[in-house]
Amino acid sequence: MAMTNLEMETQTQIAACLEAMNACNKCYVSSLKEYDLALLTESIRLNREAAEICSFAASALSRGTDYKDEILSLVVKACKACAEECLRHEHIHCQSCVEACLRCAEVCGGATITV
């Protein structure tokens, strides 16, 4: 049975959320190992928040939640905030996080996101 456009869109959103979650988790763990940890505290906090929100969103979307629009709005907000903060840092893990978060925000928000 072929997927509908809405089902394909939802699968794309789930994949983007999982990609952002993984990038945020990697950035979080990598940041804890950096010598300039004090400069990364806000990044670490936002990594955790975005990862948790994206994880919840992927789970809720896979269940067919009635709150899809509200959840996706929160995903966009969290990913954009995380990307904005990580953009301030030159670490490779931060730049990877920026890319994944911006992609997720675009996929889940339906518009191009710039920081």
Side-chain angles (χ1 to χ4, degrees):
M1 186 159 103
M3 289 197 316
T4 66
N5 286 341
L6 182 59
E7 289 170 328
M8 286 189 291
E9 177 185 65
T10 300
Q11 289 303 311
T12 302
Q13 291 164 334
I14 291 168
C17 284
L18 293 174
E19 180 184 346
M21 177 197 73
N22 287 329
C24 288
N25 280 330
K26 182 175 181 180
C27 189
Y28 164 75
V29 170
S30 296
S31 292
L32 290 174
K33 298 174 184 176
E34 293 290 343
Y35 67 92
D36 53 351
L37 184 61
L39 297 175
L40 295 168
T41 55
E42 185 64 4
S43 174
I44 291 167
R45 184 184 72 78
L46 291 170
N47 287 152
R48 293 304 309 138
E49 295 233 344
E52 292 293 329
I53 289 167
C54 287
S55 174
F56 171 74
S59 179
L61 292 172
S62 70
R63 292 189 304 269
T65 181
D66 291 336
Y67 304 102
K68 181 178 179 177
D69 292 340
E70 294 85 353
I71 291 169
L72 291 178
S73 177
L74 185 57
V75 166
V76 170
K77 185 176 181 179
C79 283
K80 185 175 179 191
C82 188
E84 286 174 352
E85 178 60 30
C86 284
L87 193 60
R88 298 176 61 209
H89 307 286
E90 295 180 9
H91 305 93
I92 293 171
H93 55 83
C94 288
Q95 296 309 306
S96 296
C97 188
V98 169
E99 291 175 21
C101 282
L102 289 179
R103 180 179 181 287
C104 184
E106 288 178 10
V107 167
C108 292
T112 301
I113 305 293
T114 58
V115 290

